[in-house]
Structure formats: structure tokens, C-alpha cells
Amino acid sequence: MQGQKRQGGRRRAAAKPKVCRFCEAKVRYIDFKDADTLMKFQTEKGKIMPRRITGNCLDHQKMLATAIKRARIVALVY
């Protein structure tokens, strides 16, 4: 094994930057009563998806998390 080089190493393709869809739509407030939108940002088990996966900016991710938590209290989403 010593002295041998690995052949055919794979390189990761450059990922394109994710854009916040709320910033694109110029959303100022995420409403907790909009259950369809909130469900898109949750897993099947009901966990909130992280920013690195959804591509949301910090401000909209915080608003989204608050809206999902409020919707859970009113039982609009689970």
C-alpha cells in the first residue's frame, strides 16, 4: 500500500448560492395562519428545516420559526 497514489478522486461541484424566497417576494411579515407555506419549511416529523437547507436569510428564518411555533399552538400545523 505504501507508495501508491489514489486514482480518480472525485471533486465536489461548486454549489450555486441559495436565495431567500421571502426576500425575492419582498415579504415583510410571515403570517402564522398561512399553513401551506409553513408546511413547506418543515420535515415530515414536524421539525423546522435549517437555513442552510432552505436558503432563507437570518431575518426571515427567525420570522418563519416564530410563525411555525405560533401555528403549532393554535394547531394549524404539527
Side-chain angles (χ1 to χ4, degrees):
M1 274 290 187
Q2 232 174 1
Q4 294 178 352
K5 290 185 178 180
R6 277 179 73 178
Q7 297 285 330
R10 293 186 182 179
R11 289 192 174 176
R12 184 178 291 182
K16 67 176 186 177
K18 296 178 183 173
V19 181
C20 178
R21 66 174 83 176
F22 296 114
C23 286
E24 282 183 336
K26 297 183 180 177
V27 174
R28 291 180 163 234
Y29 177 74
I30 300 173
D31 193 14
F32 72 94
K33 292 173 269 186
D34 189 8
D36 295 331
T37 305
L38 299 180
M39 291 292 280
K40 292 177 186 174
F41 293 97
Q42 288 184 307
T43 62
E44 292 178 0
K45 292 185 177 182
K47 293 182 177 181
I48 301 170
M49 289 188 183
R51 278 181 62 201
R52 61 186 162 79
I53 294 175
T54 60
N56 292 335
C57 66
L58 179 65
D59 294 332
H60 284 116
Q61 182 69 21
K62 286 181 180 179
M63 273 192 266
L64 182 70
T66 305
I68 290 174
K69 291 172 186 177
R70 287 179 181 167
R72 284 179 184 161
I73 292 169
V74 185
L76 295 175
V77 293
Y78 43 87

